[in-house]
């Protein structure tokens, strides 16, 4: 019996299930996969473990920021409706602003955590580990702000927004951030309302305000691929290679011993 990754089916088989199996069963919540055979042994996999990291992706270009290095984007405006800031972030030291503008800021590394502040309302969510590249998405919906790390919800807060008339210049990096940034998208919609698998490379659509693939690899201009001409001017940040994702480790089965019956809920095993 062969198995495939549910998160990257094209990768082919991930090796045989290490028992002679007569059947498979998922738990009622879809989080556990059980394989059982005539020997009376059942083995169980936690299939949610593979969702902790996106699938492998080839290395691309990125920008490394130190202290007040930044990319200024004077033409970009996000307005007062729903929005999403997202990108791949590798903290390398002091925390600071990663994506900011018009009263909204995604922070990295403040108190070793990612933070999102929208119209003065702060939210803490997710751990910012030095040297670890992660996908972070900050979402503002109609009455809530949320943070996702590698596609998993790590923070949410109900919020009633009071918008300031003061508009701040949109920028990437700056104000203390030390780290690497790549593949950034700014959207005029709350893209994520539940857990998801982050895209390796973002697409543009009618809700995309700005999209940066960092394909240039050189020069002082960060090109916007959304079609909205929100190119950024690079001040101090330097071009580097983005680290590829490591493949998720194989799921380790849990041996429950001899099982004589499985409960109707799909979760209870009787010996």
């Amino acid at each position: 019996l062969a198995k495939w990754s549910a998160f990257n089916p094209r990768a082919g088989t991930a090796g045989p299930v290490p028992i002679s199996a007569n059947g498979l069963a998922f738990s009622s919540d879809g989080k556990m996969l059980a394989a059982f055979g005539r020997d009376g042994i059942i083995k169980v996999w936690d299939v949610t473990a593979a969702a902790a990291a996106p699938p492998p992706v080839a290395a691309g270009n990125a920008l490394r920021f130190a202290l007040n290095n930044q990319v200024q984007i004077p033409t970009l405006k996000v307005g007062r409706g729903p929005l999403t800031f997202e990108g791949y972030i590798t903290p390398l030291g002091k925390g600071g602003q990663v994506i900011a503008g018009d009263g909204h800021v995604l922070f990295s590394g403040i108190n070793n955590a990612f933070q999102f502040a929208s119209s003065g309302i702060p939210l803490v969510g997710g751990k910012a580990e030095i040297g670890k590249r992660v996908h972070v998405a900050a979402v503002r919906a109609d009455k809530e702000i949320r943070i996702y790390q590698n596609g998993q919800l790590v923070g949410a807060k109900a919020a009633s927004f009071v918008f300031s008339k003061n508009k701040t210049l949109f920028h990437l990096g700056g104000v203390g951030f030390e780290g690497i940034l790549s593949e950034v998208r700014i959207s005029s919609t709350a893209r994520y309302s539940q857990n998801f698998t982050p895209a390796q490379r973002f697409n543009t659509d009618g809700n995309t305000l700005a999209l940066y693939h960092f394909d240039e690899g050189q020069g002082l201009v960060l090109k916007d691929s959304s079609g909205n001409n929100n190119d950024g001017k690079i001040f101090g940040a330097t071009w580097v290679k983005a680290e590829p994702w490591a493949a998720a480790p194989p799921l380790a089965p849990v041996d429950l011993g001899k099982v004589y019956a499985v409960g109707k809920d799909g979760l209870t095993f009787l010996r």
Side-chain angles (χ1 to χ4, degrees):
L1 179 65
K3 57 180 177 159
W4 282 259
S5 166
F7 304 95
N8 188 16
R10 294 184 179 180
T13 61
V17 173
I19 60 173
S20 175
N22 286 4
L24 297 173
F26 278 97
S27 63
S28 57
D29 60 4
K31 295 181 179 180
M32 306 294 288
L33 171 65
F36 49 90
R38 294 179 180 177
D39 57 2
I41 303 297
I42 188 168
K43 290 185 181 290
V44 179
W45 288 263
D46 179 359
V47 298
T48 64
V57 53
N61 296 312
L63 282 173
R64 179 167 183 162
F65 296 82
L67 299 177
N68 293 321
N69 298 163
Q70 62 181 252
V71 177
Q72 296 183 359
I73 315 168
T75 58
L76 180 56
K77 307 295 180 183
V78 297
R80 298 186 175 187
L83 60 82
T84 302
F85 292 174
E86 62 183 314
Y88 286 91
I89 305 169
T90 307
L92 294 178
K94 183 179 178 181
Q97 298 182 3
V98 181
I99 305 174
D102 285 354
H104 315 286
V105 185
L106 173 61
F107 296 92
S108 170
I110 304 297
N111 296 323
N112 298 317
F114 292 105
Q115 299 184 26
F116 180 46
S118 181
S119 302
I121 301 172
L123 172 65
V124 178
K127 186 177 181 181
E129 298 184 45
I130 300 297
K132 185 175 182 179
R133 183 174 185 254
V134 294
H135 175 274
V136 179
V139 175
R140 186 185 77 194
D142 290 335
K143 297 182 180 179
E144 185 180 59
I145 53 177
R146 300 186 288 270
I147 298 178
Y148 296 85
Q149 184 169 329
N150 286 343
Q152 306 298 298
L153 180 66
V154 292
K157 177 186 287 188
S160 297
F161 302 106
V162 177
F163 295 97
S164 172
K165 293 182 179 179
N166 296 325
K167 298 295 184 180
T168 55
L169 177 69
F170 210 99
H171 60 275
L172 308 179
V175 194
F177 173 59
E178 294 182 50
I180 296 173
L181 185 60
S182 62
E183 198 64 24
V184 170
R185 180 170 62 181
I186 314 299
S187 306
S188 60
T189 186
R191 285 196 179 274
Y192 310 113
S193 59
Q194 58 187 2
N195 292 344
F196 62 97
T197 300
Q200 300 177 10
R201 184 177 173 92
F202 303 137
N203 295 321
T204 186
D205 57 24
N207 295 311
T208 305
L209 297 175
L211 173 60
Y212 305 102
H213 293 308
F214 294 72
D215 289 338
E216 297 78 23
Q218 61 182 351
L220 298 177
V221 176
L222 183 63
K223 293 290 187 180
D224 174 22
S225 297
S226 71
N228 295 321
N229 298 316
N230 288 312
D231 294 345
K233 180 69 173 180
I234 300 171
F235 291 91
T238 56
W239 288 102
V240 296
K241 285 294 183 182
E243 292 296 325
W245 285 106
L251 300 181
V254 178
D255 192 343
L256 298 183
K258 289 189 176 182
V259 176
Y260 301 103
V262 179
K264 292 182 179 180
D265 61 359
L267 295 171
T268 305
F269 303 96
L270 304 178
R271 297 179 185 277

